């Protein structure tokens, strides 16, 4: 079981240190936290497993605003999220750039959580499997790659996929790429256990509820009772 917290654009270094001072997850669960770039160093000090929220495919170059795998490794960062739906929706990320980012990070020895998921209108039009096939089939088959299924209509909306719907999507993703699949989209302490009970739900990628050390630890405990 892997429980990952994506902090998005929340928490500078001071708030990051405060979080880790009161965060105590069970030892039996793998926990990853992905803070904003400026808080990575403060998070690494905690001794936990820290991921960035994105990573560029080049080692260095004229790419204003980007950060490379060697830079992350130098800080002690263990991996990166790629292809989050907010990157795809607001920052022009495509299946191709997501694949390039994932390949470079893996080649540099980082772990990768690659996010996929359909929009609400795609689900309504019955296109979920086509979208997932397109997004997943470009990802590298690598032992350090984990997929996160995050239906876009469930992110930050309080609308969670039902456990059955998540299970169906996860099984479909694994039929294309046989890697662990995390569920993301409004995972909270009170719905984590039922989602994590599904056979193909291998963990969670948590947004809002990962910002509070008590609620994130509660989600980690729900995972620990399944593992
Ligand atoms: P929420 O848990 O806030 O819905 O966010 C999910 C997410 O996007 C994690 O990457």
């Amino acid at each position: 079981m892997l429980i990952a917290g994506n902090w998005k654009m929340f928490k500078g270094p001071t708030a990051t240190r405060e979080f880790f001072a009161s965060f105590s997850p069970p030892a039996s669960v793998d926990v990853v936290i992905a803070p904003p770039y400026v808080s990575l160093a403060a998070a690494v000090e905690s001794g936990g497993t820290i991921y960035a929220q994105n990573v560029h495919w080049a080692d260095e170059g004229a790419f204003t605003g980007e950060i490379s795998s060697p830079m992350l490794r130098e800080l002690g960062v263990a991996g990166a999220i790629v292809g989050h739906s907010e990157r795809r929706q607001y920052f022009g990320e495509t299946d191709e750039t997501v694949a390039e980012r994932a390949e470079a990070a893996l080649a540099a020895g980082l772990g990768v959580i690659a996010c996929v998921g359909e929009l609400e209108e795609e689900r309504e039009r019955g296109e979920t499997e086509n979208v997932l096939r397109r997004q997943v089939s470009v990802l590298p088959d690598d032992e350090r790659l984990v997929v996160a299924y995050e239906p876009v209509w469930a992110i930050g909306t309080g609308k969670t996929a039902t456990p059955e719907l998540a299970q169906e999507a996860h099984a479909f993703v694994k039929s294309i790429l046989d890697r662990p699949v995390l569920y993301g989209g409004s995972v909270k302490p009170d719905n984590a256990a039922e989602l994590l009970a599904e056979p193909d739900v291998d963990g969670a990628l948590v947004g809002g509820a990962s910002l509070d050390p008590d609620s994130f630890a509660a989600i980690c405990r729900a995972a620990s009772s399944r593992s």
Side-chain angles (χ1 to χ4, degrees):
M1 278 274 138
L2 170 63
I3 304 296
N6 173 13
W7 283 358
K8 310 191 179 186
M9 201 172 69
F10 293 95
K11 294 193 196 291
T14 304
T16 296
R17 288 191 189 94
E18 281 166 10
F19 175 93
F20 281 106
S22 53
F23 177 55
S24 50
S28 54
V29 179
D30 291 327
V31 179
V32 160
I33 300 226
Y37 288 125
V38 295
S39 301
L40 287 171
V44 166
E45 282 168 19
S46 73
T49 306
I50 307 304
Y51 273 35
Q53 294 175 16
N54 199 5
V55 61
H56 196 262
W57 51 84
D59 284 355
E60 60 183 8
F63 299 108
T64 302
E66 293 282 330
I67 298 284
S68 72
S69 295
M71 293 171 183
L72 295 175
R73 294 215 46 171
E74 187 179 339
L75 274 188
V77 171
I81 296 171
V82 298
H84 192 277
S85 67
E86 288 148 18
R87 301 291 321 166
R88 295 177 189 259
Q89 277 188 293
Y90 308 135
F91 302 101
E93 205 75 70
T94 65
D95 295 333
E96 289 67 36
T97 58
V98 171
E100 283 193 73
R101 291 177 193 276
E103 275 160 25
L106 292 163
L110 293 171
V112 167
I113 298 174
C115 304
V116 300
E118 79 287 0
L119 303 170
E120 184 153 41
E121 53 269 31
E122 291 168 335
R123 175 159 287 273
E124 280 165 2
R125 288 200 300 261
E127 291 170 4
T128 298
E129 292 199 345
N130 286 342
V131 171
L132 292 178
R133 187 181 297 106
R134 197 194 73 220
Q135 293 176 335
V136 173
S137 58
V138 296
L139 297 174
D141 187 358
D142 187 289
E143 62 180 16
R144 269 176 292 106
L145 182 111
V146 168
V147 178
Y149 170 62
E150 300 206 306
V152 178
W153 45 270
I155 294 178
T157 57
K159 269 202 246 177
T160 318
T162 60
E164 297 72 27
L165 190 149
Q167 166 58 29
E168 195 182 345
H170 285 219
F172 181 74
V173 167
K174 289 183 188 186
S175 74
I176 299 165
L177 185 64
D178 191 16
R179 297 299 308 145
V181 183
L182 314 181
Y183 170 78
S186 299
V187 176
K188 307 289 176 200
D190 61 0
N191 62 20
E194 58 173 15
L195 287 157
L196 295 169
E198 294 295 330
D200 289 310
V201 177
D202 304 306
L205 181 55
V206 184
S210 71
L211 294 170
D212 176 72
D214 296 332
S215 73
F216 194 48
I219 292 171
C220 296
R221 284 196 297 277
S224 124
S225 52
R226 179 189 142 182
S227 37

